[in-house]
Every structure is written in C-alpha cells, then in structure tokens.
Amino acid sequence: MTTGRQQWDGLATGMALATLDAASGYGAIADAALGWRDGRLTYVGPRAGLPGDPATLAREVLAFDGGWITPGLVDCHTHVVFAGDRAGEFEQRLQGADYAAIARAGGGILSTVRAVRAASEDALLAQSLPRAHALLRDGVTTLEIKSGYGLDYDNERKLLRVARRIGTELGIEVRATFLGAHALPPEYAGDGDGYIAAVLDWLPRLHAEGLVDAVDAFCEGIGFSPAQTRRVFEAARALGLPVKLHADQLSDLGGAALVAEFGGLSADHIEHTSDAGVRALAAAGTVAVLLPGAFHVLRETTLPPLQQLRAHGVPMAVATDCNPGTSPLLSLRQAMQLACTHFRLTPEEALRGATLHGARALGCDDRGVLRAGLRADFVHWRIGQPAELGYWLGGELAAAVFAGGRRVA
C-alpha cells in the first residue's frame, strides 16, 4: 500500500480509485488517497490509512471533489504518424468498394506512403502531434506508434524519429515499432522477397540508432506471407527485439500461431484466428489486441474468437489502431466503448484491456495498475462509476492526466 516515509512529491485525495490490482473487479477503493514521488506511486489506499497528515506527507496535495482515478490508459497499437488523410477512400467504401480492391488499385496504404514521402520530418510532426495530443487529452499516458508508411530506409527512419519526438513533446512514453513489412512499395512491385531483404537490411541500422522498441509485420494476402514474416521475426530475434503481428485480420494465415511461436508480445486484429491459434497464444502468454475501430469502419461481420480467448485465459487488450484508412479514431476511450458494443466486452474487460493488458502488449510491467512502486501514470475522471468509461459515446471525461507523476493534460 505504501513505500518509504520521505516526503512525497504529490498526494491526491477526495476521489475513488479503480486500481485494477486484483484478479477480477475494478479493485475499487472509496474515499481514497494516491501518493507519488520521483515518478512512482508511494501510496494507494483509503484516505483513512495515510501514515500522517496529508499536508506533511507531500509537497503538493490535490483535494478532488469526487470522481475516480484509474491507471493511465495505454494505447498499444497506433499508426498515428502519417501525412494527409484518406477520407476519399472512406466515401468509396460507403459506395461499395472494399478495402482490398482499393489497395490493389494503388490506394490504401500506398496513398499514405506517397504523402509521407513528400513531407519533411517537421511537417510530419506538425500533422501528427495534434492526433497524439488528442489521445493524451482523453487519458493515454503510454502510446505505441508504428512506422510502415515510408517503405524505404529514409522515410521509415523519418517516421520513427517523429515518434520519438512526439514522446518528448508530450511528456509521455512512446514505444516505437518498426513496421517496414507493412505493404509492398511500387519500386518492389512483384518482388516481395526482394523487399523483405531490404527491410532486413534497414532493421539493424534503425535499431542501432535507438529508434526501434519492437518489430511488427502485416501477415495477410494483401501484405506478406507467413514465410516472409518469419524472416522478419528471425531478424528481430537476432537483435533481441520483441515482435508483434497484424494477424488474421482478413483471413486465417496462421498469423497468431506464428507470432506465438516467437514468444511475441501481441497478435493484433485476429478476427479470423482459429481455435488452434488461440491455444498457441495462451501457451505463449501472447496478448490478443482487439481493434474495434477498424472492425467498425470497415463494417466487418466476423468477430474475433472472444469466447475462446476467455476460455483459454488469453489477455485481451484494446487499442485505437489510429490510422488514416481503416481506423481514424482519436480516442482510446471510444475504442473501449466500441469493444463493449461490437465485441460484447464488459466495461471492466475494456478498461483492463486499455490499461493492464495494453501495457503487457508493449512489454511494460511497470504500469497498467495502481500499485505502490509502479509508475505514477493515472487519470482523474469526471465519472460516478468506472463503467461510464465504456458507456459514454464521446464527451470530455478526463479532468487531469498524469504521466510519471507530472500533469500532462
């Protein structure tokens, strides 16, 4: 409940806590207090249990008038750094075109690639920072950002550099994921193996610059084959980098089982994952990342294997998949609501998915719950009960957002 007796940097009182520090339930504490020092939580518990007068315990005391504090939200799958938009494709899909057909006609990911290649690093930051800031204002304190819209060395590097700059600008932790194997660029048309060879050349150079925290790929009929994905994963493993995968979104190519074989952090999308794939995730301890924004925008009808995931104890994260084509979603809380509506997650499952399990999908074991000793990442919400976070469609519910004990929104 508490660590140390030195004066804390901050102490919050006058609210309830949803600690999530239990196997089930919200871990609720009414009339609670939360203390922190040097970016770590020092006290999580009832106000009556504080080891002294609040005024003497902390240099700053925040006396809230109700509401709830939860762990900071963790958006573990985004493509938030990009240039331009694809609103025109949204119109095309509404008129009957499907995502795969648009991609084959030169739209989709490749249209964003053209825009990214034409933008300077500063211009790319200027376009992307407001999107990341919107996620922050709605409670996100840890953000994953993928590359994958450059598809050559210089532009993949540019995307990863912008991801790092966003973390510095916003004062939150950004995990940068190399997604060079996202799509086949025009200069490699018809030569997927040749392009993968280029990706394998870029990866150690980008890693040596400190730009890569994890490696991802798009294993799909319109992306890369399991054999090509395996080559990427083997290269990542040789560098000691964890892997993730866009798996089984449009068809079942065994992607979930493949990423589980490599002890991957997460298998993402997984609408078409088989029972064997779910069992592989369970055995490997790999997180299933649900992306209801893309499911919603693409008007998909095949649900992820939710009952099997529950039955086999696979942790389920929830993320925005913020991207210009299939999930232009700027609120992780809205992703939670969509997960409840489309996938029938309970509000508690959705909140755990956007905190504890989202952190696990990034390999972060120092956040996602409120517990003394962990990072002081937390959000004070204007709500009367935690279920409201999966209930409201829109609105401004975050009253204050803290990352590492500093207020950032």
Side-chain angles (χ1 to χ4, degrees), residues 187-358:
E187 58 267 29
Y188 280 90
D191 187 16
D193 287 338
Y195 177 66
I196 291 297
V199 167
L200 301 188
D201 175 65
W202 307 335
L203 174 56
R205 295 155 63 190
L206 296 169
H207 177 48
E209 279 196 65
L211 294 175
V212 181
D213 298 315
V215 175
D216 196 350
F218 184 33
C219 185
E220 191 54 75
I222 60 172
F224 296 93
S225 70
Q228 291 164 338
T229 301
R230 180 179 292 276
R231 291 172 61 193
V232 174
F233 283 1
E234 288 171 345
R237 182 163 60 186
L239 293 170
L241 287 167
V243 296
K244 307 163 70 67
L245 188 63
H246 286 63
D248 309 330
Q249 179 185 9
L250 306 174
S251 61
D252 183 10
L253 296 185
L258 177 59
V259 72
E261 178 187 335
F262 282 80
L265 292 173
S266 67
D268 302 32
H269 287 291
I270 66 163
E271 281 91 334
H272 292 267
T273 295
S274 66
D275 187 65
V278 172
R279 290 176 182 272
L281 295 178
T286 298
V287 177
V289 178
L290 307 180
L291 302 172
F295 182 93
H296 176 79
V297 171
L298 293 175
R299 295 186 292 176
E300 295 287 357
T301 56
T302 301
L303 293 168
L306 298 159
Q307 290 307 113
Q308 294 96 317
L309 293 170
R310 290 188 180 106
H312 294 294
V314 177
M316 295 182 289
V318 176
T320 63
D321 191 17
C322 176
N323 74 73
T326 62
S327 188
L329 179 55
L330 294 176
S331 166
L332 181 50
R333 190 169 53 78
Q334 181 67 72
M336 293 164 58
Q337 205 284 333
L338 291 174
C340 292
T341 300
H342 288 307
F343 299 160
R344 302 296 192 269
L345 263 62
T346 67
E348 180 201 330
E349 285 178 318
L351 181 56
R352 284 181 179 273
T355 52
L356 174 62
H357 298 322

Side-chain angles (χ1 to χ4, degrees), residues 354-406:
T355 52
L356 174 62
H357 298 322
R360 183 171 172 180
L362 296 180
C364 298
D365 59 4
D366 62 347
R367 69 200 72 186
V369 299
L370 298 178
R371 182 191 306 151
L374 298 190
R375 275 181 60 92
D377 291 355
F378 59 91
V379 185
H380 179 229
W381 303 96
R382 303 182 189 93
I383 55 174
Q385 56 179 313
E388 291 185 50
L389 297 176
Y391 165 70
W392 289 108
L393 286 160
E396 297 181 0
L397 300 188
V401 182
F402 290 77
R406 295 189 311 107

